[in-house]
């Protein structure tokens, strides 16, 4: 079994290191600047060191230790690897947040600067206009990081589910979870790709709460894929369980984490949300911050997750 796992582990580790080159480079560059001059100038700040450098480090650790964890933890390998990698993420994340100083017009910890990048790209920072939202350096709240942490932990868990799921298939020859793992891999890659696109474009937002059509579509798709990825993660462990339970729980998780993403955005935007258009369908409902389109997105995440899992479970039964 060891000889079967080794080639998969080697290719997985090599691929992870290659894909992680830029996030690791960003981290080393920031550390070098901090050692040399005690701060990082905003014009030299690599985009999105938080959260992608800590994410990369955590996934590398999880993949690197795969043979050891499989040997020692056996059937508990994935939970052990997931807990270890999430711990690595939060340790490295908090170290970067609290030790790195970014110099713009005034000094700010990296966590402050990162919050601004989620709202509007740095090259537009000086010309931004705030109408309903007023966020200034120095008013940073740790709760601003809620959706960063949600995104990061989901990426870590989903990636490790793929690596350890396929690794276990290689070790044991058990292919019962193949369709679910392929589905998890597709949703995770799509979600990670959209997250990277958001890093470099902020989905083309201009600092106003009402976004353009392209931005609105990308944000809607991102929220739905976020929920689907979480739901599929849970569903991949329930394929052999009660049919109703194995569909309803992942659907509930998908909708819930999508709602949590909205809550994270609302905290970041001081109690507001981005608006995807004009009219009743896009405006807040009464005392709610959510608009009908937002509720629809939350429902689509759950219903879509249940539909996808129904399709793959139905094929397995007829196979």
């Amino acid at each position: 079994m060891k000889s079967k796992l080794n080639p998969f582990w080697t290719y997985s580790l090599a691929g992870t290191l290659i894909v992680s080159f830029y996030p690791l480079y960003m981290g080393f560059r920031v550390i070098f600047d901090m050692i040399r001059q005690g701060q990082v100038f905003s014009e030299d700040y690599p985009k999105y060191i938080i959260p992608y450098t800590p994410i990369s480090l955590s996934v590398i650790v999880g993949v690197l230790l795969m043979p050891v964890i499989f040997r020692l933890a056996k059937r508990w390998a994935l939970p052990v690897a997931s807990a270890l990698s999430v711990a690595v993420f939060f340790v490295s994340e908090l170290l970067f947040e609290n030790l790195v100083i970014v110099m713009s017009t005034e000094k700010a910890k990296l966590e402050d600067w990162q919050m601004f990048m989620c709202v509007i790209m740095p090259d537009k920072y000086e010309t931004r206009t705030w109408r309903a939202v007023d966020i200034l350096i120095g008013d940073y709240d740790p709760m601003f990081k809620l959706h960063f942490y949600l995104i990061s932990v989901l990426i870590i868990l989903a990636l490790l589910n793929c690596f350890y799921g396929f690794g276990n298939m290689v070790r044991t020859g058990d292919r019962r979870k193949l369709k679910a793992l392929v589905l998890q891999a597709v949703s995770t890659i799509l979600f990670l790709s959209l997250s990277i696109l958001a890093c470099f474009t902020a989905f083309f937002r201009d600092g106003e709460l009402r976004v353009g059509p392209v931005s609105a579509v990308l944000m809607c798709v991102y929220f739905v894929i976020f929920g689907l990825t979480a739901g599929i993660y849970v569903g991949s462990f329930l394929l052999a369980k009660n049919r109703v339970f194995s569909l309803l729980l992942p659907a509930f998780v998908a909708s819930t984490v999508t709602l949590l993403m909205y809550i994270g955005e609302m905290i970041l935007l001081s109690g507001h949300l981005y608006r995807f258009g004009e009219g009743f369908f896009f405006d807040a409902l009464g005392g709610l911050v959510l608009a009908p389109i937002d509720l629809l997105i939350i429902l689509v995440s759950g219903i879509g997750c249940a539909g996808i899992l129904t399709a793959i479970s139905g094929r397995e039964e007829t196979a």
Side-chain angles (χ1 to χ4, degrees):
M1 288 192 293
K2 182 179 178 181
S3 60
K4 291 181 180 180
L5 180 63
N6 277 347
F8 174 81
W9 171 72
T10 302
Y11 288 124
S12 297
L13 182 59
T16 303
L17 290 171
I18 291 172
V19 172
S20 300
F21 171 78
Y22 183 61
L24 292 178
Y25 160 74
M26 290 193 298
F28 286 124
R29 176 177 169 181
V30 166
I31 292 171
F32 178 75
D33 284 348
M34 284 297 301
I35 293 173
R36 185 182 60 176
Q37 57 198 24
Q39 62 189 16
V40 180
F41 293 104
S42 59
E43 61 268 22
D44 298 326
Y45 171 63
K47 293 179 179 179
Y48 273 83
I49 185 176
I50 293 176
Y52 291 99
T53 299
I55 288 175
S56 296
L57 289 172
S58 65
V59 174
I60 289 170
V61 169
V63 175
L64 178 65
L65 297 178
M66 184 189 296
V68 176
I69 293 176
F70 265 127
R71 185 169 64 252
L72 297 179
K74 297 180 172 56
R75 63 191 294 257
W76 301 103
L78 178 58
V80 170
S82 298
L84 176 63
S85 291
V86 170
V88 170
F89 166 76
F90 278 109
V91 169
S92 56
E93 172 84 4
L94 293 174
L95 284 174
F96 274 116
E97 287 181 7
N98 290 287
L99 296 181
V100 176
I101 301 295
V102 176
M103 173 65 84
S104 54
T105 55
E106 58 181 288
K107 287 187 177 181
K109 285 186 178 180
L110 183 54
E111 59 182 5
D112 305 341
W113 191 253
Q114 196 67 32
M115 178 268 292
F116 284 106
M117 292 190 67
C118 181
V119 180
I120 184 170
M121 297 302 291
D123 58 354
K124 297 180 181 179
Y125 172 71
E126 295 299 334
T127 59
R128 79 197 189 286
T129 58
W130 296 114
R131 292 180 181 174
V133 185
D134 184 19
I135 305 174
L136 301 174
I137 286 181
D139 294 333
Y140 181 84
D141 186 326
M143 285 299 291
F144 286 144
K145 297 178 288 186
L146 174 62
H147 71 312
F148 276 118
Y149 288 165
L150 287 172
I151 292 169
S152 303
V153 171
L154 178 59
I155 290 174
I156 294 166
L157 294 179
L159 285 174
L160 290 180
N161 189 29
C162 295
F163 283 121
Y164 277 75
F166 285 117
N168 192 57
M169 284 176 49
V170 171
R171 291 173 64 247
T172 64
D174 185 352
R175 297 170 59 88
R176 286 178 294 179
K177 293 182 64 174
L178 176 60
K179 290 186 178 69
L181 289 172
V182 170
L183 190 60
Q184 179 79 97
V186 171
S187 68
T188 305
I189 291 172
L190 181 56
F191 179 62
L192 182 57
S193 300
L194 287 170
S195 297
I196 293 172
L197 177 63
C199 288
F200 292 99
T201 66
F203 283 146
F204 309 105
R205 296 190 294 261
D206 59 5
E208 302 298 334
L209 288 180
R210 195 171 301 280
V211 300
V214 173
S215 179
V217 170
L218 287 172
M219 291 177 70
C220 290
V221 171
Y222 186 74
F223 278 28
V224 170
I225 297 301
F226 177 69
L228 287 177
T229 303
I232 291 168
Y233 174 82
V234 173
S236 68
F237 301 106
L238 302 175
L239 293 178
K241 306 299 181 183
N242 176 274
R243 180 70 178 270
V244 175
F245 178 73
S246 65
L247 297 178
L248 290 183
L249 182 58
F252 174 77
V253 169
S255 289
T256 299
V257 298
T258 305
L259 175 60
L260 289 175
M261 175 67 89
Y262 270 105
I263 293 173
E265 290 279 340
M266 182 182 66
I267 293 171
L268 180 68
L269 296 174
S270 301
H272 301 83
L273 287 173
Y274 288 109
R275 297 303 176 199
F276 302 146
E278 298 182 3
F280 169 79
F281 196 54
F282 301 102
D283 292 336
L285 285 170
L288 291 177
V289 179
L290 297 171
I293 181 64
D294 303 319
L295 296 176
L296 179 61
I297 290 169
I298 292 169
L299 288 174
V300 166
S301 294
I303 295 171
C305 179
I308 292 171
L309 292 176
T310 298
I312 66 168
S313 61
R315 288 177 184 174
E316 287 181 349
E317 291 176 358
T318 58

